[in-house]
Amino acid sequence: GTGYAFLPFVLLAAFAIFPLTLLENLAFVMPVLLAYALAWVMDWSVASWPSFGGEFWLLSLLAGVSALAGISQLAFIIALVGQTIRDPLTNLFNRRFLDESFNKELHRAQRKPEPVGVIMLDLDHFKRINDTQGHEAGDQVLRMVGQQLRTSRRSGDIAARLGGEEFALLLPNTDKRAALHVEQ
């Protein structure tokens, strides 16, 4: 019986290993806290209030720490995913993400007869900028192009840096005529 008394504490501490949102954490924690309170109410004549109060406070504290740990893990995972799909210089999507997105759009276009547009961009004479003004100036140009692509694309379009001075726009549900009129 004594071992079972630790079960709520172990259960709430175990939630700390899962990357959960606050709402998800509350959905798991509240039944445990409510069950613990209900068990005390049903056995109130034998259990002492100071003992229950201390244990319930400890359980609540443990639930809060578990929630913070879960939210921290979730934020860390989101940051890692962001780093793996984004180009660090331009903050556009990278080639790997574009390849995966293109394959998904291509399969969707085959299931539903919808067009998929792709615009490839290459900065002419970019090497000259790096050679004459330095790599920092070249990086600044790439950042400006990335900013322009992020702000001028339509919602749902995917702007990506392929590498070097090469960029691409993936335009779902866009035919050739519409792709030619995408804002420049």
Side-chain angles (χ1 to χ4, degrees):
T2 306
Y4 286 115
F6 292 110
L7 188 60
F9 297 93
V10 172
L11 187 60
L12 289 182
F15 288 133
I17 64 172
F18 298 105
L20 302 172
T21 65
L22 182 59
L23 192 58
E24 291 168 336
N25 209 306
L26 284 173
F28 287 116
V29 165
M30 290 309 290
V32 174
L33 292 176
L34 290 173
Y36 196 77
L38 184 64
W40 181 79
V41 167
M42 293 176 71
D43 197 27
W44 67 274
S45 61
V46 179
S48 70
W49 168 249
S51 174
F52 169 76
E55 291 169 0
F56 195 79
W57 177 84
L58 186 58
L59 277 173
S60 300
L61 186 64
L62 197 53
V65 170
S66 293
L68 283 175
I71 291 169
S72 297
Q73 288 182 55
L74 191 60
F76 185 65
I77 289 169
I78 290 170
L80 282 176
V81 168
Q83 289 176 359
T84 60
I85 64 173
R86 297 252 178 214
D87 173 60
L89 183 64
T90 62
N91 203 29
L92 294 174
F93 289 110
N94 61 20
R95 182 183 198 122
R96 182 182 314 133
F97 183 81
L98 181 71
D99 289 344
E100 290 175 15
S101 299
F102 180 73
N103 286 333
K104 287 178 187 175
E105 288 301 326
L106 201 58
H107 284 90
R108 184 180 308 166
Q110 289 170 348
R111 281 193 314 270
K112 301 176 183 178
E114 295 177 350
V116 177
V118 177
I119 297 176
M120 306 292 290
L121 299 105
D122 184 75
L123 303 181
D124 291 336
H125 311 293
F126 180 76
K127 185 176 176 338
R128 189 181 314 155
I129 295 171
N130 278 340
D131 291 345
T132 60
Q133 298 178 18
H135 289 280
E136 185 57 40
D139 288 350
Q140 186 61 29
V141 169
L142 294 174
R143 283 188 205 99
M144 288 177 4
V145 170
Q147 175 66 26
Q148 183 65 34
L149 288 173
R150 272 193 315 278
T151 58
S152 65
R153 69 177 174 79
R154 303 170 307 174
S155 177
D157 292 348
I158 296 174
R161 180 177 177 206
L162 301 178
E165 73 279 2
E166 298 172 343
F167 299 87
L169 280 170
L170 180 60
L171 312 166
N173 199 19
T174 305
D175 61 10
K176 182 179 177 180
R177 188 174 347 121
L180 290 172
H181 292 91
V182 169
E183 196 173 315
Q184 297 176 4

Short mmCIF file of all heavy atoms in Angstrom, two decimals, residues 134-171:
data_model
loop_
_atom_site.label_atom_id
_atom_site.label_comp_id
_atom_site.label_asym_id
_atom_site.label_seq_id
_atom_site.Cartn_x
_atom_site.Cartn_y
_atom_site.Cartn_z
N GLY A 134 33.65 41.88 -51.75
CA GLY A 134 33.82 40.99 -50.60
C GLY A 134 32.60 40.12 -50.34
O GLY A 134 31.50 40.41 -50.80
N HIS A 135 32.85 39.08 -49.57
CA HIS A 135 31.78 38.11 -49.29
C HIS A 135 30.69 38.68 -48.40
O HIS A 135 29.53 38.26 -48.50
CB HIS A 135 32.37 36.83 -48.68
CG HIS A 135 33.15 36.03 -49.66
ND1 HIS A 135 32.53 35.19 -50.57
CD2 HIS A 135 34.48 35.93 -49.90
CE1 HIS A 135 33.46 34.62 -51.33
NE2 HIS A 135 34.64 35.04 -50.93
N GLU A 136 31.03 39.62 -47.53
CA GLU A 136 30.00 40.23 -46.69
C GLU A 136 28.99 41.00 -47.54
O GLU A 136 27.79 40.95 -47.29
CB GLU A 136 30.63 41.17 -45.64
CG GLU A 136 29.63 41.73 -44.66
CD GLU A 136 28.85 40.67 -43.90
OE1 GLU A 136 29.42 39.65 -43.51
OE2 GLU A 136 27.62 40.88 -43.72
N ALA A 137 29.47 41.68 -48.57
CA ALA A 137 28.55 42.37 -49.48
C ALA A 137 27.70 41.37 -50.25
O ALA A 137 26.49 41.57 -50.45
CB ALA A 137 29.34 43.26 -50.46
N GLY A 138 28.31 40.26 -50.65
CA GLY A 138 27.56 39.21 -51.33
C GLY A 138 26.49 38.61 -50.43
O GLY A 138 25.36 38.37 -50.85
N ASP A 139 26.85 38.39 -49.14
CA ASP A 139 25.87 37.88 -48.19
C ASP A 139 24.72 38.87 -48.00
O ASP A 139 23.57 38.47 -47.88
CB ASP A 139 26.53 37.61 -46.84
CG ASP A 139 27.43 36.39 -46.85
OD1 ASP A 139 27.41 35.64 -47.85
OD2 ASP A 139 28.16 36.19 -45.86
N GLN A 140 25.04 40.16 -48.00
CA GLN A 140 24.00 41.18 -47.86
C GLN A 140 23.03 41.14 -49.05
O GLN A 140 21.83 41.27 -48.88
CB GLN A 140 24.63 42.57 -47.71
CG GLN A 140 23.64 43.66 -47.41
CD GLN A 140 22.89 43.44 -46.10
OE1 GLN A 140 23.41 42.83 -45.17
NE2 GLN A 140 21.67 43.90 -46.04
N VAL A 141 23.58 40.94 -50.23
CA VAL A 141 22.72 40.84 -51.42
C VAL A 141 21.82 39.61 -51.31
O VAL A 141 20.61 39.69 -51.60
CB VAL A 141 23.58 40.77 -52.71
CG1 VAL A 141 22.74 40.38 -53.91
CG2 VAL A 141 24.29 42.10 -52.95
N LEU A 142 22.38 38.49 -50.86
CA LEU A 142 21.57 37.27 -50.70
C LEU A 142 20.47 37.47 -49.66
O LEU A 142 19.33 37.03 -49.84
CB LEU A 142 22.46 36.09 -50.32
CG LEU A 142 23.45 35.63 -51.39
CD1 LEU A 142 24.37 34.55 -50.83
CD2 LEU A 142 22.71 35.13 -52.62
N ARG A 143 20.79 38.17 -48.56
CA ARG A 143 19.77 38.46 -47.55
C ARG A 143 18.66 39.33 -48.12
O ARG A 143 17.47 39.11 -47.84
CB ARG A 143 20.40 39.16 -46.35
CG ARG A 143 21.15 38.26 -45.42
CD ARG A 143 21.59 39.00 -44.14
NE ARG A 143 22.73 38.37 -43.59
CZ ARG A 143 24.00 38.76 -43.74
NH1 ARG A 143 24.28 39.84 -44.43
NH2 ARG A 143 24.98 38.08 -43.20
N MET A 144 19.03 40.32 -48.93
CA MET A 144 18.03 41.21 -49.53
C MET A 144 17.13 40.44 -50.50
O MET A 144 15.92 40.64 -50.52
CB MET A 144 18.71 42.39 -50.23
CG MET A 144 19.31 43.38 -49.26
SD MET A 144 20.22 44.80 -49.93
CE MET A 144 20.08 44.72 -51.65
N VAL A 145 17.71 39.55 -51.28
CA VAL A 145 16.92 38.73 -52.20
C VAL A 145 15.98 37.83 -51.40
O VAL A 145 14.79 37.68 -51.74
CB VAL A 145 17.83 37.90 -53.13
CG1 VAL A 145 17.03 36.88 -53.92
CG2 VAL A 145 18.59 38.82 -54.08
N GLY A 146 16.50 37.23 -50.33
CA GLY A 146 15.67 36.39 -49.48
C GLY A 146 14.51 37.17 -48.88
O GLY A 146 13.37 36.69 -48.86
N GLN A 147 14.78 38.37 -48.42
CA GLN A 147 13.72 39.22 -47.86
C GLN A 147 12.67 39.54 -48.91
O GLN A 147 11.47 39.48 -48.65
CB GLN A 147 14.32 40.51 -47.28
CG GLN A 147 13.31 41.51 -46.78
CD GLN A 147 12.54 41.01 -45.58
OE1 GLN A 147 13.02 40.17 -44.83
NE2 GLN A 147 11.34 41.50 -45.41
N GLN A 148 13.12 39.86 -50.11
CA GLN A 148 12.20 40.18 -51.20
C GLN A 148 11.33 38.97 -51.56
O GLN A 148 10.12 39.10 -51.76
CB GLN A 148 12.98 40.66 -52.43
CG GLN A 148 12.11 41.08 -53.59
CD GLN A 148 11.26 42.30 -53.27
OE1 GLN A 148 11.67 43.18 -52.54
NE2 GLN A 148 10.04 42.33 -53.79
N LEU A 149 11.93 37.80 -51.60
CA LEU A 149 11.16 36.59 -51.92
C LEU A 149 10.17 36.25 -50.81
O LEU A 149 9.05 35.80 -51.09
CB LEU A 149 12.10 35.41 -52.18
CG LEU A 149 12.89 35.45 -53.48
CD1 LEU A 149 13.89 34.30 -53.53
CD2 LEU A 149 11.94 35.39 -54.67
N ARG A 150 10.56 36.46 -49.56
CA ARG A 150 9.65 36.17 -48.44
C ARG A 150 8.45 37.11 -48.45
O ARG A 150 7.32 36.69 -48.18
CB ARG A 150 10.38 36.30 -47.10
CG ARG A 150 11.06 35.05 -46.64
CD ARG A 150 11.49 35.13 -45.19
NE ARG A 150 12.14 36.36 -44.81
CZ ARG A 150 13.42 36.64 -45.01
NH1 ARG A 150 14.20 35.75 -45.59
NH2 ARG A 150 13.94 37.78 -44.64
N THR A 151 8.68 38.37 -48.74
CA THR A 151 7.58 39.34 -48.65
C THR A 151 6.72 39.40 -49.90
O THR A 151 5.55 39.77 -49.81
CB THR A 151 8.13 40.75 -48.35
OG1 THR A 151 9.05 41.13 -49.37
CG2 THR A 151 8.81 40.79 -46.99
N SER A 152 7.26 39.05 -51.05
CA SER A 152 6.48 39.20 -52.28
C SER A 152 5.78 37.91 -52.73
O SER A 152 4.96 37.95 -53.62
CB SER A 152 7.38 39.70 -53.42
OG SER A 152 8.35 38.73 -53.74
N ARG A 153 6.07 36.81 -52.09
CA ARG A 153 5.42 35.56 -52.51
C ARG A 153 3.98 35.55 -52.02
O ARG A 153 3.63 36.20 -51.06
CB ARG A 153 6.19 34.36 -52.01
CG ARG A 153 6.11 34.19 -50.51
CD ARG A 153 6.82 32.93 -50.04
NE ARG A 153 6.83 32.89 -48.60
CZ ARG A 153 5.79 32.52 -47.85
NH1 ARG A 153 4.67 32.18 -48.41
NH2 ARG A 153 5.89 32.51 -46.54
N ARG A 154 3.18 34.75 -52.70
CA ARG A 154 1.79 34.59 -52.30
C ARG A 154 1.70 33.60 -51.15
O ARG A 154 2.59 32.78 -50.96
CB ARG A 154 0.95 34.08 -53.48
CG ARG A 154 0.99 34.96 -54.70
CD ARG A 154 0.36 34.29 -55.88
NE ARG A 154 0.96 32.96 -56.10
CZ ARG A 154 0.53 32.09 -56.99
NH1 ARG A 154 -0.50 32.37 -57.75
NH2 ARG A 154 1.12 30.93 -57.14
N SER A 155 0.65 33.67 -50.40
CA SER A 155 0.43 32.71 -49.32
C SER A 155 0.31 31.32 -49.94
O SER A 155 -0.43 31.12 -50.89
CB SER A 155 -0.84 33.07 -48.56
OG SER A 155 -1.09 32.11 -47.58
N GLY A 156 1.04 30.36 -49.42
CA GLY A 156 1.02 29.01 -49.97
C GLY A 156 2.18 28.71 -50.90
O GLY A 156 2.49 27.55 -51.15
N ASP A 157 2.81 29.75 -51.44
CA ASP A 157 4.01 29.55 -52.27
C ASP A 157 5.20 29.27 -51.36
O ASP A 157 5.26 29.74 -50.23
CB ASP A 157 4.30 30.79 -53.12
CG ASP A 157 3.25 31.03 -54.19
OD1 ASP A 157 2.42 30.13 -54.42
OD2 ASP A 157 3.26 32.13 -54.77
N ILE A 158 6.16 28.54 -51.87
CA ILE A 158 7.35 28.19 -51.09
C ILE A 158 8.57 28.79 -51.77
O ILE A 158 8.87 28.46 -52.92
CB ILE A 158 7.49 26.66 -50.96
CG1 ILE A 158 6.30 26.11 -50.18
CG2 ILE A 158 8.81 26.29 -50.30
CD1 ILE A 158 6.24 24.61 -50.11
N ALA A 159 9.24 29.68 -51.05
CA ALA A 159 10.48 30.28 -51.54
C ALA A 159 11.65 29.56 -50.87
O ALA A 159 11.65 29.37 -49.66
CB ALA A 159 10.52 31.77 -51.22
N ALA A 160 12.63 29.17 -51.68
CA ALA A 160 13.76 28.41 -51.14
C ALA A 160 15.07 28.86 -51.78
O ALA A 160 15.09 29.31 -52.93
CB ALA A 160 13.55 26.92 -51.39
N ARG A 161 16.13 28.74 -51.01
CA ARG A 161 17.48 28.95 -51.55
C ARG A 161 18.04 27.57 -51.84
O ARG A 161 18.15 26.72 -50.97
CB ARG A 161 18.35 29.67 -50.53
CG ARG A 161 19.75 29.91 -51.05
CD ARG A 161 20.60 30.68 -50.07
NE ARG A 161 21.94 30.84 -50.56
CZ ARG A 161 22.99 31.01 -49.77
NH1 ARG A 161 22.83 31.07 -48.46
NH2 ARG A 161 24.18 31.13 -50.28
N LEU A 162 18.40 27.37 -53.11
CA LEU A 162 18.94 26.08 -53.52
C LEU A 162 20.40 25.94 -53.14
O LEU A 162 20.88 24.86 -52.87
CB LEU A 162 18.76 25.90 -55.02
CG LEU A 162 17.32 25.95 -55.53
CD1 LEU A 162 17.28 25.81 -57.03
CD2 LEU A 162 16.49 24.89 -54.86
N GLY A 163 21.10 27.04 -53.12
CA GLY A 163 22.52 27.05 -52.81
C GLY A 163 23.18 28.16 -53.58
O GLY A 163 22.71 28.54 -54.66
N GLY A 164 24.25 28.71 -53.04
CA GLY A 164 24.93 29.80 -53.73
C GLY A 164 23.98 30.94 -54.01
O GLY A 164 23.34 31.47 -53.11
N GLU A 165 23.89 31.31 -55.29
CA GLU A 165 23.00 32.42 -55.68
C GLU A 165 21.77 31.91 -56.42
O GLU A 165 21.14 32.64 -57.18
CB GLU A 165 23.77 33.44 -56.52
CG GLU A 165 24.09 33.01 -57.93
CD GLU A 165 25.31 32.11 -58.08
OE1 GLU A 165 25.94 31.76 -57.08
OE2 GLU A 165 25.62 31.76 -59.23
N GLU A 166 21.39 30.65 -56.19
CA GLU A 166 20.25 30.06 -56.87
C GLU A 166 19.06 29.94 -55.92
O GLU A 166 19.20 29.48 -54.79
CB GLU A 166 20.61 28.67 -57.41
CG GLU A 166 21.71 28.70 -58.44
CD GLU A 166 22.19 27.32 -58.80
OE1 GLU A 166 21.92 26.36 -58.05
OE2 GLU A 166 22.85 27.19 -59.84
N PHE A 167 17.91 30.36 -56.41
CA PHE A 167 16.68 30.35 -55.63
C PHE A 167 15.58 29.70 -56.45
O PHE A 167 15.69 29.57 -57.66
CB PHE A 167 16.26 31.79 -55.28
CG PHE A 167 17.26 32.52 -54.45
CD1 PHE A 167 18.30 33.22 -55.04
CD2 PHE A 167 17.17 32.51 -53.06
CE1 PHE A 167 19.23 33.90 -54.28
CE2 PHE A 167 18.10 33.18 -52.29
CZ PHE A 167 19.13 33.88 -52.90
N ALA A 168 14.50 29.31 -55.77
CA ALA A 168 13.35 28.72 -56.46
C ALA A 168 12.08 29.11 -55.74
O ALA A 168 12.07 29.32 -54.52
CB ALA A 168 13.48 27.21 -56.53
N LEU A 169 11.02 29.22 -56.51
CA LEU A 169 9.68 29.42 -55.97
C LEU A 169 8.82 28.25 -56.41
O LEU A 169 8.75 27.95 -57.61
CB LEU A 169 9.06 30.71 -56.50
CG LEU A 169 9.48 32.01 -55.84
CD1 LEU A 169 8.97 33.19 -56.65
CD2 LEU A 169 8.95 32.08 -54.44
N LEU A 170 8.19 27.58 -55.48
CA LEU A 170 7.26 26.50 -55.78
C LEU A 170 5.86 27.10 -55.67
O LEU A 170 5.49 27.65 -54.63
CB LEU A 170 7.44 25.35 -54.78
CG LEU A 170 6.53 24.15 -54.94
CD1 LEU A 170 6.72 23.50 -56.31
CD2 LEU A 170 6.80 23.15 -53.83
N LEU A 171 5.10 27.00 -56.75
CA LEU A 171 3.80 27.65 -56.85
C LEU A 171 2.69 26.61 -57.01
O LEU A 171 2.36 26.23 -58.14
CB LEU A 171 3.80 28.62 -58.04
CG LEU A 171 5.00 29.56 -58.15
CD1 LEU A 171 5.04 30.21 -59.51
CD2 LEU A 171 4.95 30.58 -57.05
#
